[in-house]
Amino acid sequence: MTDTLLYDMMRAALWIAVQISAPLLAVALVAGVVIGLLQALTSVQEATLTFVPKVALMIAVFWVAMGFMTARLVDFFTMGIIPVVAGGN
């Protein structure tokens, strides 16, 4: 395995990690901002008020995006990792 191939595989793995984590992070960000605004407007500073809805939304988005995440990982391994391990490159 050459250095160039290793760096390309690492770059591709990091990009896939960004793509897979983006939906969850975006939902957490939006939920945090919306709940923070509601707390600021109502002056209710309850810790569980931010935690429970954010976790519930993240679980829902994870459930919906699971197929996309799995497909991205399977494609990466079948097209990138397995040929290198098998000696194709």
Side-chain angles (χ1 to χ4, degrees), residues 25-83:
L25 293 176
V27 165
L29 175 69
V30 170
V33 168
V34 168
I35 293 169
L37 285 173
L38 288 174
Q39 281 185 328
L41 290 173
T42 60
S43 298
V44 176
Q45 299 298 323
E46 179 64 31
T48 58
L49 188 63
T50 61
F51 181 74
V52 173
K54 196 183 300 186
V55 169
L57 285 172
M58 288 178 67
I59 288 172
V61 168
F62 179 72
W63 186 262
V64 170
M66 219 179 336
F68 163 75
M69 294 175 180
T70 304
R72 294 296 300 163
L73 283 175
V74 168
D75 288 344
F76 176 66
F77 273 92
T78 56
M79 300 297 189
I81 301 295
I82 292 176

